[in-house]
Amino acid sequence: MIVLVTGASGGIGASVVHRFVSEGHQVIAAARSGDALQALAQQYPGKVLPVTLNVGDNAAVNVALAALPPEWQAIDVLVNNAGLALGLEPAQRADLDEWEQMVDINIKGLLYVTRAVLPGLVERNRGLVVNLGSVAGRWPYPGGNVYGATKAFVRQFSLNLRADLAGTRVRVTDVEPGMVGGTAFSNVRFNGDDARAAKVYEGTEPLMPDDIADAIYWIASRPDRVNVNTIEIMPVRQSFSALAVDRDRK
């Protein structure tokens, strides 16, 4: 298979690259960090094609995919992994620029790459689109506001893709991880504040990127009669809170 992974320079994306290559597949690794992509490609000569790309730039997405070498163009699996969370302030104090960045990458970036790749999948009448959602798209939490909303979009867009693709052999899955450690996710959210980011995982045992990569590979390796619509994955040490109730205090 030829697999396109966005956000492939680290975290879950890099783990997905490693997993598919280890199973004998070719991977187009796309991300904004060219140096990290080159390091990946050097680990797997001829198996990883690095593509420096900002998914939030539609023109750049179309140019990059059109410029793929002919032997890399028949993509079988698209993993829309690129995404980010910024800030944890309540909506009334949130940074509007951060909201827009999340919409640009988590929603628009996913749309741009999907729209560029999907016609080829339909023409070949095979393939899989995996969109990285989040439990935040289903379960709200204070400060999650726009990040959670973008991930709710990912879930609904994935389901609607399947509705549009009825009658084809193209599959679509929304993968919704809970708390995942071993990535730059929280460092990005807190603008590089390593101490604050570390507090998120302190004293617990989160999922790791390889756990999500394993799930994605399992989905991709199912018989082509099987479509996994949505899969939600949380660490054992993460669960659900009671509904918040504001009470008068005497």
Side-chain angles (χ1 to χ4, degrees), residues 6-21:
T6 66
S9 58
I12 292 172
S15 289
V16 172
V17 173
H18 290 303
R19 182 58 193 272
F20 275 90
V21 172

Side-chain angles (χ1 to χ4, degrees), residues 157-171:
F157 180 64
S158 301
L159 295 174
N160 276 276
L161 275 181
R162 274 295 303 146
D164 286 345
L165 292 166
T168 77
R169 306 290 286 182
V170 181
R171 302 179 291 160

Side-chain angles (χ1 to χ4, degrees), residues 23-215:
E23 299 288 348
H25 304 293
Q26 296 172 278
V27 180
I28 303 162
R32 286 181 288 186
S33 177
D35 291 343
L37 295 179
Q38 289 296 333
L40 267 177
Q42 288 171 9
Q43 289 183 57
Y44 304 109
K47 292 292 187 180
V48 173
L49 178 67
V51 175
T52 304
L53 176 65
N54 175 8
V55 298
D57 183 337
N58 188 37
V61 168
N62 288 320
V63 168
L65 295 183
L68 292 174
E71 65 273 19
W72 288 86
Q73 289 191 1
I75 294 167
D76 298 290
V77 178
L78 166 61
V79 180
N80 278 313
N81 170 70
L84 78 168
L86 295 171
L88 205 57
E89 292 293 321
Q92 66 272 21
R93 294 201 302 269
D95 185 324
L96 187 58
D97 287 341
E98 291 183 343
W99 278 9
E100 290 180 338
Q101 288 180 63
M102 287 186 279
V103 169
D104 286 344
I105 301 301
N106 299 358
I107 295 180
K108 291 183 180 179
L110 180 146
L111 295 180
Y112 296 155
V113 178
T114 301
R115 184 61 182 82
V117 172
L118 199 58
L121 298 179
V122 172
E123 181 181 356
R124 292 183 293 276
N125 199 30
R126 70 172 192 270
L128 168 67
V129 177
V130 176
N131 295 324
L132 264 292
S134 168
V135 298
R138 193 188 295 254
W139 310 107
Y141 59 88
N145 43 67
V146 168
Y147 175 70
T150 65
K151 292 306 183 177
F153 173 90
V154 172
R155 183 173 193 272
Q156 193 61 27
F157 180 64
S158 301
L159 295 174
N160 276 276
L161 275 181
R162 274 295 303 146
D164 286 345
L165 292 166
T168 77
R169 306 290 286 182
V170 181
R171 302 179 291 160
V172 183
T173 301
D174 172 36
V175 176
E176 300 180 343
M179 179 184 284
V180 179
T183 78
F185 179 87
S186 289
N187 298 74
V188 171
R189 170 166 248 167
F190 300 129
N191 295 308
D193 186 335
D194 292 341
R196 191 178 179 193
K199 284 284 186 184
V200 174
Y201 310 102
E202 189 175 86
T204 190
E205 188 178 5
L207 299 170
M208 298 303 289
D210 284 351
D211 298 324
I212 308 306
D214 285 346

